[in-house]
């Protein structure tokens, strides 16, 4: 099951990147869809990449028009540092030629990202550009005669200058993020330079003003600013973004009536959580998306007749609609269910029905999966909370199962939690019950007067951590009360904010019998390791300075300060550009004789990207919870070697009985 999850064919990035770039595009004739597919291959530690064209009218006819290339990973500007690395694949947007004969796309070959093209009928393709630096994005001109592309030559020049600094030593300053690299990052050089290249002659020149205007920055789902949607009548509809310090969800819908007058929709459904307006095919009604329901867990589609009536809901789902584009009077969407990986669907809004256009993973339906139940509750602060309860395969009523908590988003396909390191269905096949927990909205949004005050309100007396902890506790109590879980065999996992939840939980509610973390941990030393600029950011929102080293603050949050009290075995599987922040915690726990393991993966980042590493992480997490929550050993030689170390950890604490796990022939990979 672990390999089945790793080898899922993915369409688009699993995390939003490059400013909302489109995962798929519809051909000018409205009959074909172009997109990239990606499949991880753990044995070769590589990815199989392909560009595909789907014929909407001949479903499920699909044609592979290009293959190969290396994974292009997202880098971004982070607290002034340009080119900050990540393990997240960028979204590759295929762009159609005006006649629909070609698609063009970004592709990395021989260490550089260039523009390539492929015939939509699959009869051939070629490299189009030969830029000396990576191409970040591009557009095709309306006449199809040229491409306009963006590069960052200044960034390359700044990095060459930093290389030259090496001979005389780097000055330690705001450019550094010590936990990430021992080399300073570039500051500046993130401005795009635009060039136009003829598709007829191949000649290149700086783009003129009109060509540069082809690059209209895309907006994210919830803060779409002035997203103008023309209808057949020439009217427009758009989202009015939040004003000043308003919270991010306070966007509003407006449109033109038949006379051209601007009308702002005053109905409550139009004044929060709205996004992506478009017109119906007849040009009479504005349709739009809205997040709603318990803790905004549902996605709804509304339509509004600007001239006659209040908006009405025409579609709603708890599934994740990842992207949608209108086609005639339907929507083409990518959709994920809790036990269904991402696939293409077509929604008929007139009849409120949908059909599958293309499922890239038809074999997944043949796997034995755990049943999923959506749960909803409030925490003690009154904040709406929810999670997905995944039942073990072969569930027997009346039996209490060991539980693993996976965090911290649970909308869409339940794969491995945020960061994809905790294989939910593989756990279910091992006899675990899983609570996939959705992090509640920051408590600061309920206490601050505006967006700028949220961080400080969150940190005051650890209010947000207490709110998240309360949601976690309430969800677990619900399962205990229903007689579903063994309260002495509960494990918890987390990445990033989820690690903060694990830290706080292990200190303040020692109910957990084992823990696994994808990075670790936020302690007093972390303020030094993030670098001077980031350290000042944390101090500005209320963290004590590293010089002050405030014990009263860190005693509530630091595992290192509380090492003597921690009883749960802790597994840390860290990227090599983050593991330094785990040293204080690891050393304190190890010195206190606690059960702790730390592994460091090379060339990895906050979200890990290498398939071989993901397989190793998946398997070790399975073995870890099998061992500590069920007393079960793996049967593979690799797993047995790992468990022999855990036997020593288990026997380390003087006076504690040694746990003797049973051997399970089925407990293999």
């Amino acid at each position: 099951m672990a390999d089945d999850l790793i080898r899922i064919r993915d369409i688009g990035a699993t995390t939003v990147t490059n400013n909302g770039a489109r995962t798929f595009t519809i051909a000018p004739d409205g009959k074909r869809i172009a997109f990239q597919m990606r499949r991880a291959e753990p044995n070769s530690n590589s990815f199989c990449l392909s560009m595909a064209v789907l014929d909407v009218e001949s479903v499920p006819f699909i044609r592979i028009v290009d293959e190969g290339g290396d994974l292009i990973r997202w880098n971004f500007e982070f607290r002034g540092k340009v080119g900050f690395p990540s393990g997240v694949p960028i979204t590759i947007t295929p762009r159609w030629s005006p006649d629909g004969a070609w698609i063009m796309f970004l592709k990395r070959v021989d260490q550089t990202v260039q523009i390539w093209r492929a015939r939509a009928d699959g009869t051939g393709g070629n490299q189009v550009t030969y830029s000396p630096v990576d191409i970040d994005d591009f557009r095709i001109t309306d006449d199809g005669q040229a491409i306009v592309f963006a590069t960052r030559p200044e960034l390359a020049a700044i990095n060459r200058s930093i290389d030259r600094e090496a001979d005389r030593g780097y000055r330690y300053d705001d450019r550094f993020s010590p936990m990430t690299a021992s080399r300073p990052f570039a500051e500046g050089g993130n401005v795009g330079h635009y060039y136009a290249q003829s598709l007829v002659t191949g000649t290149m020149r700086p783009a003129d003003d009109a060509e540069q205007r082809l690059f209209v920055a895309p907006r994210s789902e919830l803060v779409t600013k002035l997203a103008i949607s023309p209808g057949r009548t020439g009217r427009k509809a758009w989202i009015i973004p939040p004003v000043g310090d308003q919270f991010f969800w306070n966007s509003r819908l407006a449109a033109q009536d038949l006379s051209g007058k601007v009308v702002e929709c005053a109905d409550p459904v139009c004044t929060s959580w709205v996004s992506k307006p478009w017109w119906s095919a007849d040009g009479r009604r504005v349709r739009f998306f809205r997040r709603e329901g318990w803790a905004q867990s549902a996605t709804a589609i509304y339509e509004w007749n600007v001239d006659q009536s209040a908006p009405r809901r025409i579609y709603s789902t708890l599934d994740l609609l990842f992207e949608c584009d209108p086609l005639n009077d339907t929507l083409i969407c990518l959709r994920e269910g809790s036990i269904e990986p991402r696939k293409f669907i077509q929604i008929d809004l007139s009849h409120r029905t949908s059909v599958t256009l293309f499922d890239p993973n038809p074999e997944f339906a043949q796997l034995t999966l755990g049943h999923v139940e959506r749960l909803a509750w409030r925490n003690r602060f009154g904040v709406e909370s929810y999670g997905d309860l995944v039942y073990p395969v072969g569930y027997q009523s009346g039996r209490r199962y060991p539980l693993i908590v996976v965090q911290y988003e649970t909308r869409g396909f339940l794969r491995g939690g945020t960061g994809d390191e905790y294989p939910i269905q593989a756990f279910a096949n091992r006899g675990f019950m899983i609570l996939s927990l959705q992090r509640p909205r920051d408590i600061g949004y309920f206490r601050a007067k505006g967006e700028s005050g949220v961080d400080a309100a969150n940190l005051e007396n650890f209010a947000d951590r207490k709110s998240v902890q309360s949601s976690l506790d309430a969800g677990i109590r619900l399962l205990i009360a229903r007689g579903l879980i063994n309260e002495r065999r509960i494990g918890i996992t987390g990445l990033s904010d989820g690690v903060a939840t694990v830290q706080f939980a292990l200190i303040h509610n020692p109910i957990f019998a084992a823990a696994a973390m994808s990075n670790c941990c936020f302690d007093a030393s972390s303020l030094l390791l993030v670098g001077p600029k980031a350290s000042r950011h944390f101090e500005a929102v209320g963290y004590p300075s590293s010089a002050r080293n405030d014990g009263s603050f860190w005693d509530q949050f630091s595992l290192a300060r509380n090492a003597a009290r921690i009883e749960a075995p802790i597994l840390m599987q860290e990227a090599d550009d983050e593991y330094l922040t785990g040293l204080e915690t690891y050393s304190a726990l190890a010195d206190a004789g606690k059960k702790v393991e730390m592994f460091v993966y090379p060339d990895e980042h906050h979200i890990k990207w290498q398939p071989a590493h993901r397989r190793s992480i998946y398997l070790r997490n399975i073995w870890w919870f099998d061992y500590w929550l069920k007393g079960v050993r793996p049967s593979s030689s690799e797993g047995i070697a790992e468990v022999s170390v855990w036997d020593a950890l288990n026997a380390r604490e003087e006076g504690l009985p040694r746990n003797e796990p049973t051997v399970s022939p089925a407990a293999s990979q």
Side-chain angles (χ1 to χ4, degrees), residues 314-380:
I314 58 175
Y315 192 82
S316 182
T317 181
L318 289 177
D319 288 347
L320 178 63
L321 298 180
F322 183 71
E323 280 187 23
C324 292
D325 265 351
L327 179 61
N328 300 320
D329 223 20
T330 70
L331 277 179
I332 306 295
C333 299
L334 285 164
R335 179 160 128 185
E336 299 177 18
S338 57
I339 57 173
E340 293 181 325
R342 191 173 296 173
K343 61 184 179 182
F344 277 106
I345 65 165
Q346 187 169 22
I347 302 174
D348 183 336
L349 294 172
S350 298
H351 298 91
R352 307 186 187 189
T353 58
S354 66
V355 295
T356 297
L357 293 178
F358 175 60
D359 181 356
N361 298 285
E363 66 277 9
F364 198 81
Q366 307 304 314
L367 300 177
T368 304
L369 305 176
H371 166 70
V372 180
E373 177 187 354
R374 172 60 58 87
L375 305 176
W377 65 91
R378 291 184 188 273
N379 69 17
R380 67 183 178 90

Side-chain angles (χ1 to χ4, degrees), residues 189-310:
N190 208 28
V191 177
H193 289 249
Y194 300 96
Y195 300 91
Q197 177 174 316
S198 170
L199 292 172
V200 179
T201 65
T203 57
M204 190 176 74
R205 57 174 173 76
D208 60 32
D209 290 344
E211 290 165 335
Q212 291 187 37
R213 283 195 292 271
L214 293 173
F215 287 82
V216 177
R219 296 338 197 254
S220 69
E221 177 181 355
L222 292 178
V223 290
T224 306
K225 298 180 180 178
L226 302 177
I228 301 173
S229 302
R232 289 181 178 178
T233 61
R235 293 191 287 176
K236 298 175 181 178
W238 61 93
I239 298 295
I240 301 173
V243 177
D245 204 31
Q246 285 185 338
F247 295 121
F248 67 89
W249 60 81
N250 287 325
S251 47
R252 311 187 309 280
L253 178 66
Q256 293 175 310
D257 65 15
L258 285 171
S259 69
K261 178 183 176 182
V262 175
V263 179
E264 188 172 328
C265 179
D267 190 282
V269 302
C270 299
T271 58
S272 65
W273 298 97
V274 295
S275 63
K276 299 180 181 176
W278 78 99
W279 290 89
S280 59
D282 60 13
R284 296 177 181 176
R285 292 153 291 161
V286 177
R287 290 168 172 163
F288 59 95
F289 286 91
R290 185 172 191 268
R291 291 276 298 275
E292 61 184 26
W294 190 266
Q296 281 69 50
S297 58
T299 299
I301 299 171
Y302 284 81
E303 69 175 17
W304 174 39
N305 188 321
V306 182
D307 306 291
Q308 295 180 9
S309 62

